[in-house]
Amino acid sequence: MTNKQQKTVNKTKSVLFRQKWSLSGANPRNKQKNSSKELGEKMASLIIGHGGILDVLRSKVPEQRWRVPAGEDFAAQADFLTRHPVRPGRQGIVFTNLPGNWMPVADAGWTIYWIDRGQIPIGAQALPEYFMDRSITDFVHEFWRIQTIDKRLVGDIILNRTRQTAPMIIVTSNTGGVGKTVSSRRLCERAKEKGLRPLLIDGNMRQSSQRSFFDPGQRMPARTIADWRPGMAAQYGANSGRMFNIGYDVSFAPPAGAMVSWDHYRAYIEEARKLWDFVVLDLDRISADDLQDSTTAAGGMVVPYVLAGDLCLVIVKAGVQTQGDALNLLSAFPRYGLPRECIGIKDTVPVGMTDYRPLDYSRYGIFLGVEYQTVEAGNLIASGKSNWADSNLDLAREQTLEWVLPDKGFEPAKFEVKKKKGWFHRG
């Protein structure tokens, strides 16, 4: 064993032994604990095995929280757990896909969940069915009290179920001036860099925002979604990115005077998701009152898609009034059954604002970060520029894409802005 491996084992032993005394009910420091620490005192959740969902969980949880401080083989780890029984009033859980005789470990009070397909070994039990429809976000929080972003369902990963259509994200807001149009383009640009074939669909029928950016004079022979009819190939409603010197394709909103229904949009999207790898729907602003009206963007697009498991990014403009208005919209989602793990939330801070205060959106969705608008970014947008590197914008974008496409290699950590240490903070 290398020195690095030994340090990891020692650190893991320290954590597990703290769990051991807490599992036995003795707290030598007798201090008040928050909910996360209380869970650690009452529950130890460990991982034994490799592959599939176990590797996903490992990537979300610090090693010292899941690792059994013993050898890598089944016999050594099972022996360790047998010699460290779970005391009354506490809970010890093992997630595994390793076959073997788990009965001695179970007799020591550990609950062994078989987290794979195939025959369940002796001493283990199947993962409760209700966990199969939970997201990885909820699963990790349930057993480790760690906040992570991963919308994939536990059952999809265990059973290796694959989606037959491309993932889609709806980008919307309850107010204007938040950069929905720019955010939608930037998602497509970054997805293209990762090798995906994105399609940007303009759902803002009142303004046709994307057409105004790419073809402001409408001089080009561009197609719109109104040109597509059921039975046609999806390409007839979109334009190749080569026409605009970009790496993704675009479906423009109908021209003025040629409105189409949301039913038409949904029919087109159904076909488009069979052809492209990733779909971004740049939608008009929505309100809480419109959620019950299927003729609006909220009731006709957001509600049915989110109920079906698709994702929606709500961009919130920073400010006391605008953040309060956003909470009014977000708090209405649960009344229509929209699951919080399908709602992403991003704050955007206007130029010159110095008193921004983030709110706790955890009851309503997944917070994906903050964007800070700058004069420089505004000038680049006005001049028709796109896909520039911007430390004020890139982290929230990467976190959004990791949420939507968790298995495509997006890395938010690479975009985190490291604070420089001052003279009195050097170490």
Side-chain angles (χ1 to χ4, degrees):
M1 181 179 294
T2 66
N3 289 336
K4 183 177 181 181
Q5 289 173 325
Q6 185 61 54
K7 287 180 180 179
T8 300
V9 169
N10 291 341
K11 189 174 183 181
T12 308
K13 281 184 178 179
S14 175
V15 172
L16 190 65
F17 287 143
R18 287 202 302 272
Q19 290 172 333
K20 181 190 174 186
W21 59 249
S22 60
L23 286 172
S24 69
N27 187 341
R29 297 187 181 181
N30 195 29
K31 291 184 178 180
Q32 293 292 325
K33 302 290 183 177
N34 59 32
S35 60
S36 177
K37 291 181 179 179
E38 287 173 354
L39 177 80
E41 293 175 355
K42 297 178 180 179
M43 179 191 297
S45 301
L46 308 175
I47 298 172
I48 297 179
H50 295 277
I53 194 171
L54 298 182
D55 286 349
V56 173
L57 297 176
R58 278 194 182 87
S59 70
K60 308 295 182 183
V61 181
E63 184 174 2
Q64 65 269 23
R65 297 283 302 276
W66 60 258
R67 192 180 193 280
V68 179
E72 293 296 326
D73 61 289
F74 167 77
Q77 293 178 329
D79 178 68
F80 181 92
L81 295 179
T82 302
R83 290 185 290 105
H84 294 81
V86 179
R87 303 301 175 87
R90 300 296 184 257
Q91 189 175 15
I93 294 173
V94 177
F95 298 108
T96 187
N97 60 1
L98 290 183
N101 181 12
W102 286 98
M103 188 57 70
V105 180
D107 288 341
W110 294 88
T111 300
I112 297 93
Y113 284 132
W114 180 248
I115 201 160
D116 200 356
R117 293 176 289 182
Q119 181 67 35
I120 300 175
I122 186 172
Q125 59 185 279
L127 189 68
E129 189 65 29
Y130 58 84
F131 279 121
M132 300 294 275
D133 292 327
R134 301 280 291 276
S135 68
I136 293 296
T137 295
D138 287 345
F139 194 84
V140 170
H141 188 263
E142 175 83 18
F143 291 100
W144 287 280
R145 282 297 187 268
I146 292 174
Q147 298 292 339
T148 188
I149 299 174
D150 196 325
K151 69 179 180 62
R152 289 177 293 178
L153 299 183
V154 170
D156 284 351
I157 299 176
I158 292 177
L159 301 176
N160 197 27
R161 295 191 295 237
T162 57
R163 302 291 179 176
Q164 299 302 312
T165 58
M168 180 178 73
I169 183 171
I170 299 171
V171 181
T172 188
S173 178
N174 67 305
T175 186
V178 297
K180 290 189 296 83
T181 302
V182 177
S183 293
S184 299
R185 290 198 297 268
R186 286 176 58 81
L187 290 173
C188 289
E189 291 158 355
R190 178 64 177 143
K192 174 62 178 178
E193 292 175 353
K194 282 294 187 178
L196 297 171
R197 187 186 178 202
L199 172 67
L200 172 57
I201 299 178
D202 189 350
N204 190 341
M205 287 193 280
R206 290 186 295 184
Q207 296 180 338
S208 191
S209 304
Q210 299 297 350
R211 183 78 181 264
S212 299
F213 178 81
F214 288 110
D215 183 23
Q218 298 196 12
R219 299 184 180 90
M220 303 180 73
R223 296 168 175 162
T224 75
I225 197 169
D227 294 318
W228 177 85
R229 294 289 185 274
M232 290 182 174
Q235 292 96 324
Y236 284 95
N239 303 277
S240 170
R242 292 190 297 271
M243 181 183 293
F244 309 104
N245 196 31
I246 56 177
Y248 54 93
D249 300 332
V250 186
S251 176
F252 290 133
M259 297 284 285
V260 300
S261 68
W262 293 121
D263 287 338
H264 184 93
Y265 261 89
R266 290 195 300 270
Y268 177 73
I269 290 171
E270 181 179 350
E271 295 303 314
R273 295 176 77 171
K274 300 174 184 176
L275 182 62
W276 282 273
D277 299 328
F278 176 44
V279 174
V280 177
L281 175 60
D282 175 17
L283 202 60
D284 197 3
R285 70 185 72 173
I286 64 174
S287 71
D289 293 338
D290 289 340
L291 291 170
Q292 61 184 341
D293 186 351
S294 62
T295 66
T296 66
M301 300 297 280
V302 172
V303 171
Y305 276 118
V306 174
L307 286 176
D310 290 305
L311 305 184
C312 179
L313 173 64
V314 178
I315 305 179
V316 178
K317 187 174 184 179
V320 175
Q321 181 64 46
T322 50
Q323 286 173 285
D325 292 342
L327 281 179
N328 181 56
L329 170 64
L330 294 169
S331 62
F333 285 164
R335 297 200 296 270
Y336 293 87
L338 306 190
R340 62 172 295 278
E341 61 265 26
C342 292
I343 303 297
I345 304 164
K346 176 179 72 173
D347 280 350
T348 182
V349 181
V351 176
M353 185 176 188
T354 58
D355 58 347
Y356 162 66
R357 293 184 180 182
L359 299 180
D360 180 7
Y361 300 113
S362 59
R363 292 175 56 192
Y364 312 112
I366 309 298
F367 186 62
L368 298 168
V370 185
E371 289 184 344
Y372 293 88
Q373 303 299 327
T374 62
V375 174
E376 292 77 12
N379 291 336
L380 289 169
I381 296 169
S383 63
K385 302 294 182 182
S386 194
N387 203 28
W388 67 92
D390 193 326
S391 60
N392 292 297
L393 307 176
D394 291 343
L395 176 58
R397 176 179 67 172
E398 196 77 359
Q399 290 183 152
T400 300
L401 287 166
E402 184 192 37
W403 174 56
V404 185
L405 304 162
D407 56 348
K408 299 301 181 183
F410 293 99
E411 301 175 273
K414 288 189 174 182
F415 294 87
E416 292 179 353
V417 179
K418 295 181 173 59
K419 295 181 179 180
K420 296 182 179 180
K421 295 182 178 180
W423 176 262
F424 295 104
H425 296 85
R426 294 188 297 177

